[in-house]
Amino acid sequence: MHIEQSILDKVNEWLTPTFDDKTQEAIKEMMTSSPKDLEESFYKNLEFGTGGMRGIMGVGTNRINKYTLGKNTQGLSDYLKKSFPKEQLKVAIAYDCRHNSDTLGRIVADVFSANGITVYLFSDMRPTPELSFAVKHLNCHAGIVLTASHNPPEYNGYKVYWQDGGQLVPPQDGEIIEVIENLNYSEIKFEANESLIHYVDEAVDEAFAESTVKNASFNTSASARENLRIAYTSLHGTSIKMVPKVLEKAGYTDVNIVPEQAEPNGNFPTVKSPNPEEPEALTMALALADKINADIVFGTDPDSDRLGVAVRNNEGKMILLNGNQTMVVMTHFLLEEWRKAGKITGKEFIGSTIVSTPMMLELASGFDVECKVGLTGFKWIAKFIKDFPELKFIGGGEESFGFMVGDAVRDKDAVGAILLMCEIAAQAKENGSSVYNYLQQMYVDFGFYKEYLISLTKKGIEGANEIKQMMIDMRDNPVSEINGQRVIMVEDYQNSTAKNLLSGEIENLTIPKSDVLIYYLEDGSKICARPSGTEPKIKFYFSVNCAIDSINDIPEAEKQLDQKIKNIIAEMQLN
């Protein structure tokens, strides 16, 4: 096959003595046996997306390896020195259960230390939210976590956190990327200064657990906590390090762990995907729940920032909640607790994202707080906390099964969210109710919202081009009517415009640019198209809603909304 000269130039650079023999041998093997893999490995440089940098492990510029991560770390070291010229720099590093995470974590630590930067490294895997917490707790200038979240086993990744414990946001991300791209691989300092590398474990664990219990506990009686029966799975990931510890510390004694999935394992052998967004991932936890008659089920992804939740419905059957449902339940409970405590003064806000349920806006309005809506990714919610110090952050989430309670952690946090959901479930059970009933009553009070997601996978160079073309087509040929409803507004975040199709008026969007399109229909429906920033996918988000007078109206309303979503999908030819 023909390989472009620009790719061959990169390949030849990697065959120089800057790169170790093992790397060079792997490249030579690909050159003879698999030119297609060679092209995929070198056709571009790995990029920072919504959740840092993720990619397949292997050799090449488009792969996760010691050189691509070494270059990132060298660039970040240079940037930190320029940003804090008179300070002794400190960074924290954590990693998850994935293959090579511990080795890559150590390489990153070596490069930082070789640059004279003090490193606090966890000696074993830890949840991502604990790293976010540790950055602030240890007064670090930055933090790194090695994780590919819920991606398949062949992936790994590199997330960068700043002083506030939040992920990198503009303009810093762009500035750091520029520094990295201007570096040569020969400039990476790999020789560790051992005296600057310090292992941190129990002290940070204890502080993180205490902080979580303080932030996510709300006057639940000891007996209610003891009476809540929990089924929990870590899906072979890192949450096993902290979730049982935090629940025990908070007083939850009936915690039942899926034994087959408790052992961390980067192959994730018992699931097709270690992603709690996928219903199949919680199959074993649901089976355990039925066996022991549990009240609630939790599952987390490998780095423990996402959580899946299942609760019993009125017939006693376990049903999975989606990310929008868990987000509104937790947010509503927090708002109620803050109001009870007299802490809502008009200077508070909740956070959400442009692809999440509009029900969050209704909650904010109902409790007289602000709802700040940003792009996908918790780095934007963390940025709101930093940008509006005069406002208190209550909590917030996004549809992709993430939630953040308060501001001690500045990223999505399954550890704190699980404890908060336990508080809600325990109090509801003690009062003869349930999480399911709690959600149903919210639909009566704030409107019945139903969301749905379609995710189309398009791998490799061809897939990336196909996704790009789909977005171009939707921009160049915008629809004016869907399912018999007029499109009244189109928001194009790439062009930063919101166009009213009825009046022709165009407003400028203040949210940073991103490749996202949102259609708003005259019946309140919302359709969003967005290429994923971390996976080879294009995602379509649907939100429909209607008003209901009582809980008894829900079954019929749900049928109608489900049909509406089916009609929209069929008309857009996405099924």
Side-chain angles (χ1 to χ4, degrees):
M1 64 176 281
H2 171 73
I3 297 177
E4 289 180 23
Q5 188 58 45
S6 61
I7 295 174
L8 291 174
D9 290 343
K10 286 186 191 176
V11 171
N12 287 328
E13 184 193 353
W14 280 58
L15 291 171
T16 62
T18 296
F19 299 85
D20 61 36
D21 292 344
K22 193 176 171 187
T23 297
Q24 292 185 51
E25 284 163 17
I27 292 169
K28 288 171 184 170
E29 170 67 23
M30 272 198 287
M31 289 172 82
T32 54
S33 65
S34 186
K36 180 71 177 165
D37 284 347
L38 186 76
E39 183 183 50
E40 290 282 354
S41 298
F42 282 94
Y43 84 94
K44 66 173 184 175
N45 293 343
L46 268 185
E47 297 165 356
F48 278 87
T50 49
M53 179 182 275
R54 282 185 216 166
I56 294 168
M57 289 177 276
V59 299
T61 59
N62 188 34
R63 295 289 183 256
I64 294 285
N65 52 64
K66 69 179 278 190
Y67 297 102
T68 52
L69 296 195
K71 194 175 177 187
N72 282 356
T73 308
Q74 185 61 52
L76 182 55
S77 299
D78 294 346
Y79 184 84
L80 284 165
K81 287 178 178 177
K82 197 173 77 175
S83 302
F84 305 101
K86 294 178 181 173
E87 298 182 36
Q88 174 52 46
L89 296 169
K90 297 188 288 187
V91 299
I93 302 173
Y95 55 87
D96 70 3
C97 61
R98 287 183 174 272
H99 297 306
N100 306 316
S101 278
D102 53 351
T103 309
L104 293 169
R106 178 64 209 213
I107 288 167
V108 170
D110 290 349
V111 176
F112 277 128
S113 70
N115 282 277
I117 295 170
T118 299
V119 176
Y120 296 112
L121 174 66
F122 284 95
S123 63
D124 195 3
M125 63 190 72
R126 286 297 186 280
T128 287
E130 186 170 357
L131 184 277
S132 170
F133 172 84
V135 170
K136 281 201 302 173
H137 180 70
L138 298 170
N139 295 314
C140 292
H141 297 83
I144 303 290
V145 65
L146 285 301
T147 176
S149 189
H150 56 280
N151 283 54
E154 63 270 23
Y155 279 75
N156 215 317
Y158 182 94
K159 281 188 192 177
V160 184
Y161 292 78
W162 206 239
Q163 273 183 304
D164 64 329
Q167 285 186 56
L168 284 180
V169 289
Q172 281 162 330
D173 57 355
E175 292 168 1
I176 290 169
I177 289 164
E178 193 178 342
V179 173
I180 292 166
E181 287 181 349
N182 286 328
L183 276 173
N184 293 317
Y185 286 101
S186 58
E187 295 176 76
I188 305 167
K189 297 174 185 170
F190 282 114
E191 294 300 317
N193 179 343
E194 295 290 347
S195 68
L196 293 177
I197 299 175
H198 308 283
Y199 287 97
V200 291
D201 290 299
E202 286 178 21
V204 178
D205 287 348
E206 194 56 37
F208 176 58
E210 275 181 25
S211 170
T212 303
V213 172
K214 182 183 165 195
N215 285 318
S217 296
F218 291 91
N219 303 312
T220 307
S221 71
S223 61
R225 286 173 175 163
E226 288 165 7
N227 288 335
L228 186 73
R229 182 161 291 174
I230 301 160
Y232 152 71
T233 177
S234 58
L235 294 179
H236 305 289
T238 60
S239 72
I240 198 74
K241 292 283 185 185
M242 288 307 298
V243 167
K245 180 185 177 83
V246 165
L247 291 178
E248 183 184 5
K249 198 176 185 72
Y252 288 92
T253 54
D254 199 350
V255 179
N256 304 271
I257 300 170
V258 175
E260 301 92 334
Q261 297 177 325
E263 189 70 33
N265 187 329
N267 286 326
F268 313 111
T270 63
V271 288
K272 193 163 31 168
S273 167
N275 183 0
E277 285 181 277
E278 306 284 345
E280 189 184 54
L282 294 184
T283 302
M284 293 175 89
L286 291 168
L288 175 63
D290 283 339
K291 184 179 171 186
I292 64 171
N293 196 29
D295 301 301
I296 193 161
V297 169
F298 296 110
T300 54
D301 67 344
D303 68 327
S304 186
D305 58 0
R306 295 177 188 223
L307 79 157
V309 181
V311 297
R312 294 208 180 274
N313 66 12
N314 294 338
E315 286 75 52
K317 183 174 181 287
M318 272 289 169
I319 59 155
L320 294 164
L321 300 182
N322 63 42
N324 285 303
Q325 290 172 319
T326 54
M327 169 171 58
V328 295
V329 165
M330 287 189 272
T331 303
H332 185 265
F333 180 82
L334 286 174
L335 288 166
E336 281 188 317
E337 291 297 322
W338 277 57
R339 186 161 68 184
K340 271 189 232 165
K343 295 199 301 186
I344 293 185
T345 64
K347 293 275 188 184
E348 296 77 32
F349 78 98
I350 57 175
S352 185
T353 71
I354 56 174
V355 299
S356 299
T357 178
M359 192 171 174
M360 287 290 279
L361 298 168
E362 298 300 320
L363 292 181
S365 174
F367 283 86
D368 294 321
V369 300
E370 195 176 338
C371 181
K372 291 193 175 293
V373 180
L375 295 174
T376 301
F378 269 69
K379 61 186 180 184
W380 301 107
I381 296 178
K383 188 174 188 295
F384 289 141
I385 297 170
K386 193 162 60 171
D387 290 350
F388 299 94
E390 73 281 5
L391 298 180
K392 283 234 181 255
F393 176 68
I394 295 172
E398 62 181 7
E399 50 70 43
S400 60
F401 288 58
F403 198 80
M404 193 159 87
V405 188
D407 63 2
V409 171
R410 302 287 176 95
D411 203 353
K412 51 183 174 275
D413 175 11
V415 183
I418 283 174
L419 177 53
L420 178 60
M421 279 302 292
C422 285
E423 294 285 277
I424 299 167
Q427 289 188 23
K429 184 178 180 182
E430 187 176 49
N431 295 326
S433 184
S434 66
V435 173
Y436 185 77
N437 283 338
Y438 187 88
L439 177 61
Q440 286 192 310
Q441 188 55 50
M442 285 174 60
Y443 286 147
V444 176
D445 295 340
F446 297 96
F448 184 27
Y449 284 77
K450 188 96 200 238
E451 277 78 29
Y452 190 73
L453 169 68
I454 285 182
S455 192
L456 305 177
T457 300
K458 309 279 183 183
K459 290 185 178 178
I461 303 172
E462 290 167 12
N465 290 334
E466 198 177 336
I467 288 171
K468 195 174 176 184
Q469 191 58 49
M470 288 171 83
M471 294 301 292
I472 289 169
D473 291 344
M474 280 185 284
R475 282 192 171 90
D476 291 350
N477 308 295
V479 292
S480 57
E481 187 179 288
I482 300 173
N483 191 35
Q485 297 289 323
R486 287 183 300 175
V487 178
I488 57 172
M489 176 82 75
V490 178
E491 290 176 346
D492 186 341
Y493 288 84
Q494 188 160 279
N495 302 325
S496 297
T497 58
K499 183 174 183 180
N500 185 316
L501 298 191
L502 303 184
S503 66
E505 283 180 47
I506 297 177
E507 285 182 30
N508 291 323
L509 297 168
T510 55
I511 289 174
K513 287 181 185 293
S514 185
D515 192 8
V516 182
L517 271 174
I518 302 181
Y519 295 122
Y520 293 91
L521 311 189
E522 59 187 332
D523 65 353
S525 300
K526 174 181 162 187
I527 302 155
C528 170
R530 168 189 163 263
S532 171
T534 52
E535 300 170 276
K537 292 179 178 180
I538 182 167
K539 296 183 175 184
F540 293 88
Y541 305 80
F542 306 91
S543 177
V544 295
N545 67 85
C546 64
I548 55 174
D549 295 322
S550 80
I551 287 174
N552 295 333
D553 297 338
I554 288 177
E556 185 54 39
E558 187 158 29
K559 271 189 213 162
Q560 290 175 10
L561 294 183
D562 283 342
Q563 189 58 50
K564 186 178 281 192
I565 290 170
K566 278 181 189 165
N567 293 347
I568 292 170
I569 291 168
E571 194 161 318
M572 292 181 72
Q573 298 180 337
L574 294 172
N575 47 0

